[in-house]
Amino acid sequence: MARINSLRDGVFAVSTDNWRLNSGVVLGTRRALVIDTGAGPRQAREILEAVRSLTSLPLAVVNTHAHYDHFMGNAVFQRAGAEDFWGHRGCAEAILAHGDFQRSYVGTHEPEMAAAEGLDTRIVVPNRHLPGTGRRPSVTRVDLGERSVVLFSLGRGHTDNDVCVGVDDVVFTGDLVEEGADPSFEDSYPRGWVDALDSLASLDRYRVYVPGHGVPVERGYVRQQARTMRAAIERVDSSERAGAEPHGVRPVTASMFRLPYNPGAARVLLDRLERIRVEDGAAGDFASLTVPRPRAD
């Protein structure tokens, strides 16, 4: 059963048990905006039922990023009349490329979605995007009638396609902020994530931060998450530098880095930092290559 938390007049968090997901609802006078739709039709119908207990307005949707628990319920809302599905341009690209593969993650709670069989199991891709190429921070407004919400990207963080949704002094952060669990680093850009959290915490207008999972938090929690992540990255960098010294020894297991996360999250963080380092190095090597010039004759 979905739980509705009234945050401000016409602004609600809708929490469902599976994946501890927080969706959101913002009411205007002409339409309502739904933030994240769950991992498939079962969860999405719970969210839709909660939304319809609040309003009969036409609906629009925003997906905060391209992870299965945030977009795989889109078809339920499309059937309910939603036409505008907002997201980062990279979110749409990622869903097109990897949406079907992500069905493999939802089989326990969403067997129809996993099998791609039954009503509302189609993958619905965001068709409205923030401006620009998606490689730089960007912002746009969505008019709901006598109320606008701000959709903004702060760059690469939890993914390369995170979008936050701000209204009044409330901001829905997707998984840039997560309460009650360690951050999920699998598709992340940890150094950019720290910067995004610092930027998010510096936006003075917001007082309530609704994470993708867990309970709403305040600005201090966001700052602390940034400090913890920065300290973890600095500890890895320090160990790497020490290992590069003559006779230096690099830690060989995640636990030896003494990171402030559980062993699984620490291992993934180490893997992501290494992968990004290798990819950035390869990109730098490629950029330094001399491009052959055509002969003048």
Side-chain angles (χ1 to χ4, degrees):
M1 178 66 68
R3 297 170 299 282
I4 299 172
N5 180 8
S6 178
L7 302 171
R8 296 293 184 268
D9 184 26
V11 182
F12 306 89
V14 176
S15 301
T16 41
D17 289 334
N18 292 347
W19 295 280
R20 300 172 64 245
L21 179 69
N22 290 323
S23 300
V25 186
V26 182
L27 305 184
T29 58
R30 293 198 309 271
R31 59 178 176 165
L33 183 69
V34 177
I35 303 155
D36 288 336
T37 61
R42 297 189 182 198
Q43 189 171 28
R45 288 175 192 133
E46 284 188 59
I47 298 166
L48 178 61
E49 182 179 359
V51 172
R52 283 306 183 212
S53 76
L54 297 168
T55 182
S56 60
L57 285 167
L59 303 177
V61 169
V62 58
N63 299 132
T64 59
H65 60 291
H67 283 163
Y68 58 90
D69 47 333
H70 298 264
F71 75 84
M72 279 191 164
N74 282 0
V76 167
F77 287 85
Q78 187 178 66
R79 177 177 293 276
E83 297 179 354
D84 289 346
F85 289 81
W86 285 90
H88 191 287
R89 193 173 302 274
C91 176
E93 294 170 354
I95 291 173
L96 281 170
H98 309 296
D100 277 318
F101 173 77
Q102 292 190 62
R103 293 180 187 274
S104 62
Y105 298 135
V106 305
T108 299
H109 298 299
E110 297 280 354
E112 297 86 4
M113 194 69 192
E117 296 177 352
L119 189 65
D120 298 327
T121 58
R122 292 171 294 103
I123 300 291
V124 175
V125 180
N127 57 8
R128 303 292 302 276
H129 307 141
L130 275 68
T133 64
R135 298 182 182 278
R136 295 182 179 179
S138 61
V139 62
T140 194
R141 291 182 179 273
V142 178
D143 181 23
L144 303 179
E146 299 184 21
R147 170 179 257 163
S148 293
V149 299
V150 179
L151 310 184
F152 59 96
S153 162
L154 295 170
R156 301 191 303 182
H158 172 66
T159 69
D160 63 0
N161 57 85
D162 302 306
V163 169
C164 295
V165 183
V167 57
D168 299 342
D169 63 348
V170 177
V171 59
F172 294 85
T173 69
D175 289 356
L176 275 176
V177 179
E178 186 169 352
E179 187 276 334
D182 286 337
S184 296
F185 290 108
E186 283 81 355
D187 295 323
S188 72
Y189 296 82
R191 299 178 198 278
W193 197 343
V194 171
D195 293 339
L197 289 168
D198 281 338
S199 296
L200 187 59
S202 72
L203 299 175
D204 291 338
R205 67 173 297 175
Y206 299 120
R207 295 186 178 184
V208 179
Y209 298 77
V210 184
H213 309 271
V215 301
V217 299
E218 297 180 345
R219 187 188 317 276
Y221 184 96
V222 180
R223 293 194 188 282
Q224 183 57 51
Q225 184 176 333
R227 285 194 293 267
T228 300
M229 197 176 298
R230 180 181 293 107
I233 294 169
E234 290 174 350
R235 189 165 294 175
V236 174
D237 290 344
S238 177
S239 296
E240 295 286 357
R241 289 192 297 269
E245 294 291 329
H247 309 296
V249 177
R250 180 183 185 276
V252 295
T253 66
S255 62
M256 293 174 66
F257 283 90
R258 300 177 61 83
L259 300 183
Y261 300 119
N262 70 62
R267 179 72 265 168
V268 177
L269 172 59
L270 291 170
D271 290 345
R272 280 300 293 173
L273 290 170
E274 177 64 13
R275 179 173 178 176
I276 292 167
R277 184 188 68 79
V278 171
E279 290 176 350
D280 288 350
D285 291 343
F286 180 80
S288 68
L289 294 175
T290 301
V291 178
R293 297 180 178 273
R295 294 175 59 180
D297 59 354

